[in-house]
Amino acid sequence: MYRDRTCGELRLDNAGEHVKLAGWVQRSRKMGGMTFVDLRDRYGITQIVFNQEINPELCEAANGLGREFVVQVTGRVEERTSKNHNIPTGDIEIYADGLTVLNKSDIPPFTIEDNTDGGDDLRMKYRYLDLRRPCVRRNLELRHRMAFEIRRYLDSKGFLEIETPILVKSTPEGARDFVVPSRMNPGEFYALPQSPQLFKQLLMVSGYDRYFQIAKCFRDEDLRADRQPEFTQIDCEMSFVDQEDVIEMFEGLVKHIFKYVKGIDFSDSFPRMTWNDAMRLYGSDKPDIRFGMPFVELTEMVKGKGFAVMDDAELTVGIVAPGCATYTRKQIDQLTDFVKRPQIGAKGLVWVKIEADGSVKSSVGKFFSEDELRDWAGKMEARPGDLMLIMSGEAMKTRKQLCELRLEMGERLGLRDKNNFAPLWVIDFPLFEWDEETQRYYAMHHPFTSPNPEDIPLLHTDTGKVRATAYDIVVNGTELGGGSIRIHDAALQDTMFELLGFTQEKAMEQFGFLMNAFKYGAPPHGGLALGFDRFVSILAGLDTIRDVIAFPKNNSGRDVMNESPSVIDQAQLDELCLKVEMSDKEN
Ligand code: ASP
């Protein structure tokens, strides 16, 4: 046996026991005739003591240990004289009587501690060392715990976990596919699934009325902090359900996870908001409702006073930053610079202060009287001491810009506490999204999403107004997941394809197998998928999903540890009948 105890479990109660531990040398320090070694494994750190007087040879060997050496130690558990209250094993230490070096280690390129001196790139290159750090390990432990609880909950509700293929035909989730050439079928390619969408719908046709899978999905998109080219979804589908059934089931799942993983009880139902309200009040389909500051529209009341910016605007809309009338010129300039950043792209920011004494100051005093500005304050419910921040322009753009400013103000005012969780369902999404560039409609969710039955008469007459039976679950301004009730009627699916600009042939070529399956008794069905990485990162209080994935990719989609993607041998290319030609762009 290499060990009979772990480095995290020994306490004062164990004093006097003879134990055998194995692990990595966190650090070793010599103090007079004593050498102290911190021994680390997955479970914690235990202090080992070597005494020069009692066993000079052993102590000599301990003095030769380097960081990250793998060792086995035997000894007796003793109470410590100077206790370390920062670690659970801090009341004891091991008086060593045996030491075996199981393996040496090169000096690691960064310290294996929560506050490491290693930068991002270095940590990713040596990810296997980074994973030894307790803070990273805790994220993976959390991930495991959540996966376990997800399975426990869904199993208790009668869901079957069924795997679906990774080598598939393209699945339409709106991103680019990763493709894999087929050696046995030269010139032909598989796609990696953007999600198991079509397969889970087929499983419903097959009668597996409650399906789930913790599924790998692949989307070739530009990367951001919360995106990875491969990521994991908790993918689910149910038959004989309506939107209410799906929402209830998965609200239950989210509550279960918060309860059993975080100890947080949500007794009330999660609030719901229509997509229209979310856009109107927060300028976003994933509003952070940990704080208020809803949008107030002023469009008509500000027109006609000679201020062209507002006169010409499709929308003038503002928020009230409570208590911010004390903001200095410099702080307000910072906010203006913030909204003018290219990522946000606003032209400017109008501000109005209602001073504590009730007097009014603003950046548009030239155009508006104090009384008029006070009317704005009335409409916006601003009180003395508050700052009103107002933007004008094209409606959708302006809403998105003000959304960024609202989040920034929430941040500045400390209203976005990571330990406060505010879940929300956003419902009644539009079915279609108009694209100016290509002058056509796209499915906002995916082409299998069912229209709201009430809106079916509008499909051909007022296409853009048709609501989908689609829902998203949002937590703290992050889209945790979403889904829809699907179309199970072949004729309606045909209409949908037609509106999306698919010819009958094209639809058959891409989704023929699904359309054929629907001829054999497709039950009413619907489902959703939750982003598992995001779910873990929200519970871990992290801004990026990278730290909850054991081996993530960087922002250029590269794994800097194993240096992928990489070129492949000519022989491999030949076998696949592929020829690589670099265009000027790549060269
Ligand atoms: N397949 C969808 C997605 O990946 C989720 C769903 O509709 O169930 O977003």
Side-chain angles (χ1 to χ4, degrees), residues 159 200-201 203-211 237-242 245-246 522-527:
F159 282 78
K200 67 176 173 179
Q201 292 194 240
L203 287 169
M204 295 305 113
V205 177
S206 308
Y208 296 86
D209 59 0
R210 290 185 171 197
Y211 142 94
E237 196 75 7
M238 304 168 78
S239 292
F240 306 114
V241 288
D242 57 24
D245 299 312
V246 179
H525 61 287

Side-chain angles (χ1 to χ4, degrees), residues 213-482:
Q213 181 180 194
I214 299 188
K216 269 288 173 91
C217 304
F218 306 84
R219 297 183 192 178
D220 187 2
E221 297 176 292
D222 292 334
L223 305 179
R224 297 188 309 236
D226 61 348
R227 278 208 190 141
Q228 283 276 309
E230 55 178 299
F231 59 98
T232 308
Q233 280 189 347
I234 309 160
D235 191 49
C236 309
E237 196 75 7
M238 304 168 78
S239 292
F240 306 114
V241 288
D242 57 24
Q243 168 168 308
E244 206 52 44
D245 299 312
V246 179
I247 286 187
E248 192 189 303
M249 179 63 72
F250 293 98
E251 184 164 319
L253 172 65
V254 173
K255 284 181 173 173
H256 176 96
I257 299 300
F258 270 105
K259 179 166 177 178
Y260 289 99
V261 177
K262 270 291 207 197
I264 297 174
D265 254 312
F266 286 99
S267 39
D268 295 338
S269 294
F270 295 169
R272 296 187 195 178
M273 198 183 288
T274 63
W275 181 87
N276 265 325
D277 281 349
M279 296 309 292
R280 187 173 57 82
L281 296 170
Y282 300 98
S284 164
D285 58 5
K286 41 179 191 290
D288 184 346
I289 56 159
R290 278 174 296 182
F291 64 105
M293 272 192 227
F295 292 9
V296 182
E297 295 182 8
L298 302 171
T299 316
E300 292 313 319
M301 78 187 285
V302 299
K303 281 193 198 284
K305 304 289 165 188
F307 185 41
V309 171
M310 291 183 172
D311 285 346
D312 302 340
E314 186 186 354
L315 178 76
T316 291
V317 58
I319 52 171
V320 177
C324 292
T326 52
Y327 264 36
T328 59
R329 184 82 228 184
K330 194 167 150 219
Q331 281 172 303
I332 290 186
D333 286 348
Q334 276 173 0
L335 295 180
T336 310
D337 291 344
F338 174 83
V339 296
K340 282 184 168 172
R341 295 191 321 188
Q343 305 94 295
I344 299 181
K347 294 215 181 67
L349 178 65
V350 168
W351 56 267
V352 183
K353 284 179 181 178
I354 313 293
E355 303 282 6
D357 63 8
S359 65
V360 181
K361 277 210 192 90
S362 92
S363 57
V364 287
K366 264 199 284 181
F367 301 97
F368 301 94
S369 69
E370 267 207 41
D371 276 347
E372 280 161 346
L373 296 176
R374 250 186 262 281
D375 285 347
W376 299 9
K379 173 103 196 231
M380 293 178 69
E381 295 180 16
R383 277 183 280 272
D386 291 348
L387 170 69
M388 306 177 344
L389 298 166
I390 298 161
M391 299 175 82
S392 302
E394 193 205 303
M396 266 306 170
K397 249 196 206 158
T398 307
R399 289 197 174 104
K400 287 192 176 142
Q401 293 162 347
L402 189 63
C403 166
E404 296 295 334
L405 182 63
R406 173 181 171 269
L407 293 175
E408 171 69 15
M409 290 312 296
E411 202 67 58
R412 283 175 184 241
L413 294 172
L415 302 172
R416 303 183 73 196
D417 178 0
K418 288 209 163 86
N419 295 311
N420 176 16
F421 299 96
L424 168 76
W425 288 102
V426 177
I427 55 171
D428 288 348
F429 276 78
L431 188 60
F432 300 100
E433 204 170 14
W434 177 254
D435 184 60
E436 271 302 321
E437 208 171 294
T438 48
Q439 289 288 305
R440 52 163 277 209
Y441 281 112
Y442 284 86
M444 192 142 188
H445 190 50
H446 50 56
F448 315 107
T449 293
S450 162
N452 184 319
E454 285 171 26
D455 295 351
I456 289 180
L458 304 178
L459 273 171
H460 287 282
T461 53
D462 209 349
T463 315
K465 283 251 160 61
V466 177
R467 288 166 302 166
T469 321
Y471 31 80
D472 271 4
I473 181 158
V474 174
V475 177
N476 295 358
T478 300
E479 181 196 327
L480 182 58

Side-chain angles (χ1 to χ4, degrees), residues 476-497:
N476 295 358
T478 300
E479 181 196 327
L480 182 58
S484 60
I485 297 300
R486 326 298 182 188
I487 298 170
H488 67 282
D489 173 78
L492 186 56
Q493 187 66 68
D494 280 348
T495 308
M496 187 72 183
F497 283 140

